[in-house]
Amino acid sequence: MSSLEQRLLNNYQRNFPLVPEPYDQLASELGSDSQTVRDLLAELLMRGKVSRVGPVFKPRMLGSSTLAAMSVPQEMLTEVATLVNGYPEVNHNYEREHRLNLWFVAVAADQEKLQQVLGGIESRSGYEVMSLPLLKEYHIDLGFRMDAGDKQKVATSPAQKNTDCSFDPALHGSLIAAIQTGLPLTERPYLTVGEQLGLSEDTVIETLSEMQSAGIIRRFGVIVRHHELGYRANAMLVWDVPDDQVDELGQQLSAEQKVTLCYQRPRIKPRWPYNLFSMIHGKSRDEVMAYVDDLVDKLALKDTPYEVLFSLQRFKQCGAKYIVQEDTHQQAVLR
């Protein structure tokens, strides 16, 4: 990885400039030029190391979302995963080591649409879908360092002001639809987006700034794909924690450098007894398991039931689409 690539990915996973010529500002800070920076981003996108340059929206601020799981016979897994992938509302879809072996994230405009998607997947596949919506977040701000400092989390964005930002479907909805898959790599991307929507460049920048201040946009920057950047061991570490202790442990886990995500989701007994979810990404399975062991010892969790669900296959990984075109997926039913 070149020095320019390393610094670009380390420094701009958040806090992407909201100025008329953002790539020019990046180039100036990186000691390069706008065309070189844009060419590098285009190459990283083509190679799959970067999924987009754009916003990550805060969960539950827009639409409705859930983490869902299915238990699918191994011989049907690829076929069912392909069916699930066909829904534009699904943005992540993984096989994990567990009897519940297919895990996906779905985001829809509202709860009714989300239930339609889950119901459609269940009825078409013939397998039950277990929905685990987010209850409380402790740390959801995924970032990865590309240098010797990779034992540290990427610095978080400045605290948001949580100012009021009344949602205007005509303005905010059209802007979200235009940028949810990424900014264009033009010299003036906000002008390009504005021209598509009939908005001025200033209006696009001001609206995005307001959405950041209001907390609708959690972070804005270069969104990397961890697997392509060497973090090939992805483990979901789930805990069965007494309800009156979940906040304390959630905060403790969030402070740990190797814990990349941490949040509370509901139990669904007897099928799923776990209520606290954490994610650990590492370069190898042994590295992740060694860290899990250290974590259990450090936080005195030997008596806390937990499971480690490593991902085996990645069927889909892309940005969430909060506004999608009318359903066009095939209506075949799997048997």
Side-chain angles (χ1 to χ4, degrees):
M1 186 179 293
S2 70
S3 172
L4 178 61
E5 181 179 343
Q6 187 178 95
R7 287 181 292 132
L8 175 64
L9 296 183
N10 273 346
N11 298 349
Y12 299 103
Q13 292 182 42
R14 45 185 58 78
N15 303 328
F16 190 82
L18 288 173
V19 297
E21 298 183 20
Y23 301 114
D24 190 60
Q25 180 172 321
L26 262 62
S28 176
E29 294 170 357
L30 292 169
S32 184
D33 62 85
S34 175
Q35 188 62 56
T36 298
V37 168
R38 286 185 284 133
D39 287 347
L40 176 56
L41 283 168
E43 179 186 351
L44 292 170
L45 285 162
M46 181 184 67
R47 290 161 59 191
K49 290 188 173 183
V50 166
S51 66
R52 67 191 185 282
V53 178
V56 173
F57 296 101
K58 185 175 181 179
R60 300 188 295 181
M61 292 293 284
L62 293 174
S64 296
S65 63
T66 195
L67 173 67
M70 304 172 72
S71 181
V72 181
Q74 194 63 38
E75 65 273 15
M76 292 294 296
L77 187 62
T78 299
E79 191 170 358
V80 173
T82 301
L83 183 153
V84 172
N85 287 352
Y87 285 82
E89 292 84 3
V90 172
N91 57 76
H92 285 63
N93 189 14
Y94 283 82
E95 178 190 6
R96 293 195 178 276
E97 287 182 349
H98 196 266
R99 56 186 174 75
L100 289 163
N101 56 346
L102 190 64
W103 291 78
F104 63 92
V105 176
V107 179
D110 52 44
Q111 186 64 25
E112 181 180 1
K113 179 60 179 176
L114 180 63
Q115 292 307 314
Q116 288 177 5
V117 169
L118 300 181
I121 291 172
E122 187 168 274
S123 64
R124 291 173 59 203
S125 68
Y127 300 103
E128 182 181 355
V129 174
M130 182 179 72
S131 178
L132 297 164
L134 178 71
L135 297 180
K136 190 169 185 178
E137 61 178 273
Y138 301 103
H139 176 67
I140 304 183
D141 199 7
L142 195 59
F144 297 92
R145 290 195 65 85
M146 300 299 116
D147 55 17
D150 63 1
K151 293 183 179 179
Q152 301 178 3
K153 294 177 181 177
V154 174
T156 57
S157 302
Q160 291 151 333
K161 301 175 184 177
N162 291 320
T163 56
D164 181 53
C165 182
S166 299
F167 191 82
D168 178 353
L171 175 60
H172 298 93
S174 62
L175 186 53
I176 290 167
I179 67 170
Q180 62 188 355
T181 57
L183 282 181
L185 296 180
T186 56
E187 189 172 353
R188 300 183 70 155
Y190 306 117
L191 177 62
T192 302
V193 171
E195 289 174 343
Q196 295 171 357
L197 302 176
L199 302 172
S200 71
E201 182 181 53
D202 285 346
T203 298
V204 172
I205 292 173
E206 290 169 6
T207 303
L208 290 174
S209 180
E210 290 171 0
M211 293 171 73
Q212 273 195 312
S213 294
I216 296 172
I217 294 176
R218 174 183 292 282
R219 65 182 173 101
F220 199 105
V222 180
I223 312 302
V224 302
R225 303 183 78 189
H226 61 270
H227 189 271
E228 283 74 9
L229 290 167
Y231 292 87
R232 298 181 180 276
N234 166 342
M236 186 168 72
L237 181 56
V238 294
W239 312 83
D240 179 5
V241 184
D243 291 338
D244 61 352
Q245 298 175 28
V246 69
D247 282 350
E248 180 183 2
L249 182 55
Q251 291 163 6
Q252 289 176 330
L253 289 169
S254 296
E256 294 296 320
Q257 294 295 343
K258 287 285 188 178
V259 175
T260 51
L261 302 169
C262 188
Y263 39 75
Q264 182 185 9
R265 295 185 185 275
R267 296 183 177 90
I268 300 182
K269 291 185 174 181
R271 196 177 188 194
W272 186 256
Y274 305 106
N275 60 340
L276 186 62
F277 290 63
S278 49
M279 291 295 303
I280 298 175
H281 294 76
K283 301 294 180 66
S284 70
R285 184 187 185 99
D286 287 345
E287 176 188 321
V288 170
M289 286 307 304
Y291 187 73
V292 171
D293 291 341
D294 289 344
L295 199 60
V296 170
D297 288 340
K298 179 179 179 180
L299 299 181
L301 296 172
K302 290 182 179 179
D303 295 327
T304 301
Y306 71 90
E307 286 194 69
V308 183
L309 284 70
F310 276 94
S311 66
L312 298 178
Q313 293 188 71
R314 180 182 61 189
F315 294 110
K316 188 175 185 180
Q317 181 189 358
C318 64
K321 295 182 179 178
Y322 292 86
I323 298 175
V324 300
Q325 294 179 342
E326 201 59 35
D327 261 341
T328 56
H329 5 284
Q330 298 175 357
Q331 295 302 311
V333 176
L334 298 183
R335 298 295 183 188

